[in-house]
Amino acid sequence: MARALELHQYVGHLIRRAEQVHTSLWFRHVSRDITSQQFAVLNALRREPGIDQRTLAQHTSLDRSTVNQMVRRLVGQGHLSQVRDDGDRRRTLLSLTADGSELLDSLIPPAERVNEQLLQSLTGSERALAVDVLRKIAALDGEPLDGPA
């Protein structure tokens, strides 16, 4: 008889399930229009306005083509602005518009509540450990996490 994994012990399956839970909570409590990845882009630009798309991709741990599509969408929706870098005309620098800043302000409280919901079944020390373990797993691809995006 062929061997089968115990999925409730398989880390990849549990990470996928956790992502499903997060996505469901995000959709119900934060936004049906702005994804958590788009939120990360907006948040990263609040933390460091005037960065280029490559740097934005690094800060959000998203691939450059995904960031490029998100930037186009968010610019089209009036949430981001783009200007050419005077020092290097090949680079486009990104910033939140007033509308994007207002949008981010409205998303932060429910995003914090979703984060709390995800951690609520854990004790204080388990919460810190869970976040630490997830950071270590996320860094396995060799890309350091820049801190909170």
Side-chain angles (χ1 to χ4, degrees), residues 41 44-46 48-57 67-68 70-72 74-75 79-85 91-97:
V41 164
L45 289 170
R46 162 83 49 88
E48 194 173 346
I51 58 175
D52 62 20
Q53 284 188 28
R54 191 171 130 198
T55 304
L56 180 60
V67 168
N68 184 21
M70 279 188 203
V71 165
R72 276 194 266 140
L74 292 169
V75 166
H79 302 308
L80 301 183
S81 66
Q82 298 175 301
V83 296
R84 287 280 175 211
D85 183 351
R91 285 179 41 178
T92 301
L93 305 178
L94 305 166
S95 296
L96 292 177
T97 62

Side-chain angles (χ1 to χ4, degrees), residues 15 115 118-138:
I15 290 171
N115 194 61
L118 290 168
L119 296 172
Q120 73 185 359
S121 66
L122 306 175
T123 67
S125 60
E126 287 174 331
R127 289 175 182 210
L129 180 60
V131 170
D132 188 47
V133 167
L134 288 170
R135 278 191 188 130
K136 287 179 181 177
I137 291 171

Side-chain angles (χ1 to χ4, degrees), residues 60-109:
T60 56
S61 300
L62 296 166
D63 66 80
R64 290 196 298 196
S65 65
T66 299
V67 168
N68 184 21
Q69 291 172 358
M70 279 188 203
V71 165
R72 276 194 266 140
R73 185 174 301 119
L74 292 169
V75 166
Q77 293 170 339
H79 302 308
L80 301 183
S81 66
Q82 298 175 301
V83 296
R84 287 280 175 211
D85 183 351
D86 288 335
D88 181 351
R89 301 294 293 165
R90 295 170 295 177
R91 285 179 41 178
T92 301
L93 305 178
L94 305 166
S95 296
L96 292 177
T97 62
D99 183 55
S101 187
E102 187 177 309
L103 172 64
L104 181 60
D105 287 342
S106 74
L107 295 174
I108 287 174

Side-chain angles (χ1 to χ4, degrees), residues 10-26 114 118 134:
Y10 185 63
V11 173
H13 176 74
L14 295 172
I15 290 171
R16 183 186 62 76
R17 284 289 300 127
E19 175 62 18
Q20 285 177 322
V21 170
H22 173 261
T23 299
S24 175
L25 290 171
W26 185 273
V114 164
L118 290 168
L134 288 170

